[in-house]
Amino acid sequence: MPDHECAVAFDFDGTLIQNGPLNLDKGVHIIFASWYACRRTRLNDFLGAGADALTARMVDAYIRYPGSPRFEQFSAIVNALVNHVPDSVASFDGFVLGEEYREAYAEARQIYNRVYSGLNDAAADRFWKPYVSVKAFLHRLAGVYDLFIASGVTQDILEKDFARHGFDRGCFSAIHGGNTAGGNDKGEILKMLKRRGYMDLLFVADSNKDLEYAEIAAVKFYRIRADADYRRLAGMLPGTFPDERETWEFEPFEIDFFQTKSLYLIGTYQDVENLPFIDMSGYINT
Ligand SMILES: [Mg+2]
């Protein structure tokens, strides 16, 4: 049963945690890991058009799926590479490729998963930090609302990151991540929380995709983009939940960041067997 009448759910990455000084490094991780995975499998057949143009296509796919589960992001990027279509697909069959690529895609998913996690681990140790105001804010709110985490990160990684960044488990009623099959997305988690019967439910998160999840689950939404957004929210809560639904575009400098950093990493590391994740993360974030 709920302890309080209303609840606040927080996304994790990019919301409680600032992913690097610009909160952008995960996008570069996803784009590079996708390219590298294709490069090292038969999907390399589709990388002939030149890294510059192909990176632009990968960026275009990525920016439609920030905040989505990692394999959904990967499928959108692969689709952009092989079919010029920047939309995710549910399974290999969605690409309508020859059978000779089925095994390559399965293999590429594994390589992508390993490289993406490697880059994330390197960044988490050095560049990912909770927003400055976040822990005090959570402590204050925990006495007033039931607090949850609703993240697209898989449950095991989420629990590890939660502990690594020293969050207080006692502040939260529960911590919900995705499952490794790519299920239990944030929309499902929010719907499940809603069924607990809260009078009001607010989702605090950082991407347009998160806003879609909030709309699907019919809960309120508040966007975090900088620490100042927590200070603004602290001025409103406890109180009536805000509901800020305007979507937003990535800024030109953000697109440029994804493109430039990814292109450099591709040029430097696409054929390197043992990737130096710490060096790569340092390059992305400095
Ligand atoms: Mg996020």
Side-chain angles (χ1 to χ4, degrees):
M1 284 305 290
D3 291 327
H4 299 97
E5 285 185 336
C6 301
V8 184
F10 294 86
D11 171 48
F12 190 73
D13 272 321
T15 299
L16 295 180
I17 297 294
Q18 185 172 11
N19 297 130
L22 297 174
N23 208 24
L24 294 175
D25 64 356
K26 279 190 98 172
V28 179
H29 299 175
I30 287 164
I31 293 163
F32 174 78
S34 298
W35 174 281
Y36 186 82
C38 292
R39 175 85 179 165
R40 298 182 82 77
T41 64
R42 197 168 178 177
L43 293 171
N44 185 47
D45 291 353
F46 297 94
L47 303 185
D52 220 326
L54 292 177
T55 301
R57 256 150 69 187
M58 292 195 289
V59 171
D60 185 43
Y62 169 71
I63 62 176
R64 293 158 193 254
Y65 293 90
S68 296
R70 62 172 65 186
F71 290 118
E72 191 177 341
Q73 294 167 320
F74 181 58
S75 76
I77 290 173
V78 171
N79 206 14
L81 290 172
V82 304
N83 290 320
H84 296 231
V85 177
D87 298 328
S88 70
V89 297
S91 70
F92 173 77
D93 298 316
F95 297 124
V96 198
L97 286 179
E99 274 306 306
E100 67 270 28
Y101 293 106
R102 184 177 293 276
E103 205 173 302
Y105 182 60
E107 197 189 334
R109 272 172 55 105
Q110 287 184 14
I111 295 169
Y112 162 78
N113 194 39
R114 174 177 62 77
V115 171
Y116 182 46
S117 288
L119 287 166
N120 286 347
D121 279 344
D125 281 342
R126 193 166 151 212
F127 296 107
W128 293 1
K129 305 223 158 42
Y131 278 107
V132 175
S133 305
V134 114
K135 288 185 181 176
F137 179 70
L138 291 172
H139 273 278
R140 199 160 63 81
L141 243 53
V144 186
Y145 305 113
D146 282 0
L147 304 187
F148 295 92
I149 288 179
S151 170
V153 170
T154 53
Q155 190 73 27
D156 54 333
I157 295 173
L158 178 62
E159 306 248 356
K160 200 175 78 178
D161 286 349
F162 184 91
R164 164 170 24 207
H165 292 293
F167 286 105
D168 182 354
R169 186 116 200 179
C171 287
F172 292 92
S173 300
I175 297 169
H176 297 289
N179 60 39
T180 45
N184 202 39
D185 68 25
K186 293 178 225 184
E188 295 300 316
I189 295 168
L190 293 171
K191 280 192 241 174
M192 180 265 293
L193 294 179
K194 217 174 165 213
R195 286 197 294 272
R196 290 169 60 111
Y198 290 107
M199 278 176 53
D200 212 356
L201 185 56
L202 173 66
F203 186 35
V204 178
D206 71 304
S207 75
N208 283 338
K209 188 74 188 174
D210 294 327
L211 170 56
E212 276 178 38
Y213 287 130
E215 286 174 342
I216 288 166
V219 305
K220 290 180 176 172
F221 184 80
Y222 181 87
R223 181 192 182 195
I224 297 297
R225 192 160 205 193
D227 196 65
D229 295 314
Y230 276 110
R231 299 195 293 274
R232 194 163 67 86
L233 188 57
M236 295 187 254
L237 302 183
T240 307
F241 286 164
D243 189 19
E244 302 183 351
R245 286 169 176 267
E246 61 277 20
T247 57
W248 60 91
E249 302 285 322
F250 278 98
E251 313 253 357
F253 87 86
E254 294 175 308
I255 306 278
D256 185 59
F257 183 90
F258 295 139
Q259 175 81 18
T260 309
K261 297 282 185 179
S262 300
L263 203 50
Y264 173 83
L265 293 176
I266 287 167
T268 310
Y269 297 111
Q270 65 176 351
D271 294 318
V272 173
E273 181 95 27
N274 295 307
L275 292 169
F277 294 126
I278 292 171
D279 292 352
M280 295 168 78
S281 175
Y283 163 74
I284 296 167
N285 280 305
T286 52

